Amino acid sequence: MSKICQITGKKAITGNNVSHSKRRTKRRFNVNLFNKKFYWVEQDAWISLTISAAGLRTINKLGLDAAIKSAASKGYISEIKYIEF
């Protein structure tokens, strides 16, 4: 699984660790990702998404259906994982 948010498209970026003596070594700034289950009312199904904290705020603001449609139009969601109970 790649470390990319399925709603916002955020992914890890690179930067530098800077010591007190100003030596620089490469490092990664990872995204705050977690797996979360949502009930998608329009499809009448449970889905699982890998989202960031910013993606969760986007879903709370726009709604799940609008956020998924927006992410799909931008190419962030390649596949939605449906959960069977």
Side-chain angles (χ1 to χ4, degrees):
M1 174 192 303
S2 61
K3 295 181 180 181
I4 299 174
C5 176
Q6 290 182 311
I7 297 297
T8 61
K10 288 188 173 203
K11 55 186 175 181
I13 60 173
T14 59
N16 288 316
N17 277 332
V18 182
S19 69
H20 181 70
S21 64
K22 302 293 190 280
R23 280 183 75 90
R24 288 166 168 82
T25 55
K26 286 293 188 182
R27 63 161 290 184
R28 288 180 57 137
F29 291 96
N30 289 319
V31 183
N32 183 13
L33 288 180
F34 46 92
N35 295 320
K36 183 132 177 75
K37 296 174 190 169
F38 294 97
Y39 181 69
W40 196 1
V41 177
E42 287 78 5
Q43 298 289 326
D44 191 34
W46 285 91
I47 60 171
S48 178
L49 294 174
T50 302
I51 59 170
S52 63
L56 185 60
R57 288 194 300 271
T58 302
I59 290 172
N60 287 337
K61 183 177 180 180
L62 301 177
L64 182 62
D65 193 48
I68 287 175
K69 286 181 182 176
S70 173
S73 69
K74 294 177 183 174
Y76 299 147
I77 294 180
S78 60
E79 177 183 337
I80 296 176
K81 186 176 175 184
Y82 289 93
I83 302 171
E84 298 293 327
F85 287 106

